[in-house]
Amino acid sequence: MLVDCLNWRIQNEIDSILEKPIIPVDLYRSIRESQLVGLSGYSKEQYLFILLSFDTAGVPVFAFGVGQSTYDKASVHYYVQSHIQINEYRDRIILPMATKKFRRPITTCIKVLDMTGLKLSALSLLKILTAISAVDELNYPEKAETYYIVNAPYIFSACWKVVKPLLQERTRKKVHVLSGRGKDELLKCRREGSSKASLSSVDDCFSLDHPFHQELYHYIEQQALNQELIKQGSLHVDIPDQDPDDAMIVEVIQAEFHKLGEQNGSADGDHK
């Protein structure tokens, strides 16, 4: 796995991916509006110490707007490039800064997955989501110590019911499906503040105007200027082959989506 990961990094020049900004900025803004992800803050010691039985103060908390991400404003290559750039910025900049600030090794993050707006039509996005998941699974393993699922609609609950038994136990233990918005739980674990500016609210952390995305984009621009590398065009990154177990989970999700779609269609017919 390690050799495959190193070869992937060399073949796709991942070490220089933070020198390749997505331009023009309007295109990058469109990506941010359709691939919802952002740094919402850092964990607090008291709550997570009790929950996870070890000190996790200062762990970056990333939010993902899963249900409202449309991935329809650019090519797949741009979305994959953007995702990898966030991963690399997290590992090279955010985690080392947190380590220095909290005076202990911080090498993982917490992910909050907001399922608001998740619909059956999300089945059409499964290909790109699977590609991004394969990149993370094979090249950025064990980077998330906890996943919080919030605003989960029935469609997620139905899929989770059949997928959960297929996951490895260590993965199942990381996933916490919270009731509703999970506001009380998340506020207990969230610490205000980013690397250079305070975060006004979780709700706007997806925006390009948010301090995290501003810092990230300007950092990449500066690195490109230093190397005189600014040019238009997406970076084509090879997507690793999926693990067979993960491929099976994707098939199960597809089958469950189709089943729910048929049930909805039948219900609509009965109603008419």
Side-chain angles (χ1 to χ4, degrees):
M1 236 183 125
L2 177 59
V3 170
D4 288 344
C5 176
L6 292 174
N7 285 334
W8 175 80
R9 293 187 69 88
I10 293 169
Q11 292 164 7
N12 294 282
E13 300 181 346
I14 301 300
D15 285 352
S16 62
I17 199 168
L18 291 182
E19 300 167 0
K20 299 171 182 176
I22 295 174
I23 54 176
V25 68
D26 286 344
L27 171 61
Y28 189 68
R29 184 176 294 278
S30 295
I31 291 172
R32 292 279 58 82
E33 291 172 351
S34 53
Q35 183 186 35
L36 305 183
V37 56
L39 177 65
S40 68
Y42 294 83
S43 64
K44 286 169 64 176
E45 180 178 2
Q46 296 85 349
Y47 172 71
L48 289 178
F49 179 81
I50 295 170
L51 180 65
L52 301 176
S53 299
F54 57 90
D55 184 1
T56 58
V59 175
V61 180
F62 283 86
F64 296 80
V66 178
Q68 295 182 332
S69 291
T70 56
Y71 296 95
D72 60 351
K73 304 296 184 183
S75 71
V76 171
H77 299 293
Y78 278 118
Y79 287 113
V80 172
Q81 177 181 348
S82 174
H83 181 79
I84 294 174
Q85 286 178 330
I86 290 174
N87 281 355
E88 291 290 317
Y89 189 76
R90 174 198 65 201
D91 294 351
R92 298 189 212 176
I93 306 297
I94 298 297
L95 293 177
M97 288 182 69
T99 293
K100 183 177 180 180
K101 179 177 180 180
F102 292 93
R103 299 181 181 179
R104 68 180 188 84
I106 295 177
T107 59
T108 59
C109 66
I110 293 167
K111 295 186 177 182
V112 179
L113 311 181
D114 186 355
M115 298 295 168
T116 298
L118 185 66
K119 300 176 182 176
L120 288 172
S121 56
L123 184 61
S124 64
L125 303 177
L126 206 52
K127 183 176 180 180
I128 185 170
L129 293 175
T130 299
I132 289 173
S133 175
V135 167
D136 282 355
E137 182 73 19
L138 298 175
N139 299 292
Y140 301 93
E142 303 300 328
K143 279 297 178 180
E145 66 180 42
T146 312
Y147 297 88
Y148 291 106
I149 312 295
V150 299
N151 296 318
Y154 172 74
I155 185 174
F156 170 83
S157 302
C159 288
W160 178 240
K161 186 176 180 180
V162 296
V163 167
K164 186 177 180 180
L166 304 177
L167 299 175
Q168 294 184 19
E169 184 178 0
R170 75 172 191 274
T171 302
R172 286 200 303 269
K173 287 182 176 180
K174 290 182 178 183
V175 180
H176 301 269
V177 181
L178 305 182
S179 175
R181 296 175 61 194
K183 184 176 179 180
D184 292 340
E185 293 91 338
L186 294 178
L187 285 178
K188 287 176 185 175
C189 80
R190 182 169 165 268
R191 177 193 299 273
E192 290 290 337
S194 72
S195 55
K196 295 181 181 177
S198 63
L199 309 187
S200 55
S201 75
V202 177
D203 296 333
D204 69 353
C205 72
F206 303 138
S207 169
L208 176 56
D209 298 321
H210 189 270
F212 167 72
H213 285 300
Q214 286 290 302
E215 292 169 19
L216 167 61
Y217 193 73
H218 291 320
Y219 177 88
I220 297 174
E221 277 190 320
Q222 189 58 53
Q223 296 301 306
L225 286 171
N226 292 344
Q227 301 295 327
E228 298 182 351
L229 288 174
I230 291 186
K231 61 181 181 179
Q232 284 188 284
S234 63
L235 178 68
H236 288 229
V237 175
D238 294 331
I239 305 300
D241 293 331
Q242 254 191 322
D243 179 273
D245 291 340
D246 292 337
M248 182 178 69
I249 290 173
V250 170
E251 290 178 4
V252 169
I253 293 174
Q254 287 176 320
E256 191 65 23
F257 264 70
H258 285 305
K259 185 170 116 181
L260 291 169
E262 291 171 358
Q263 290 175 352
N264 283 357
S266 175
D268 290 342
D270 291 342
H271 180 69
K272 291 177 181 178

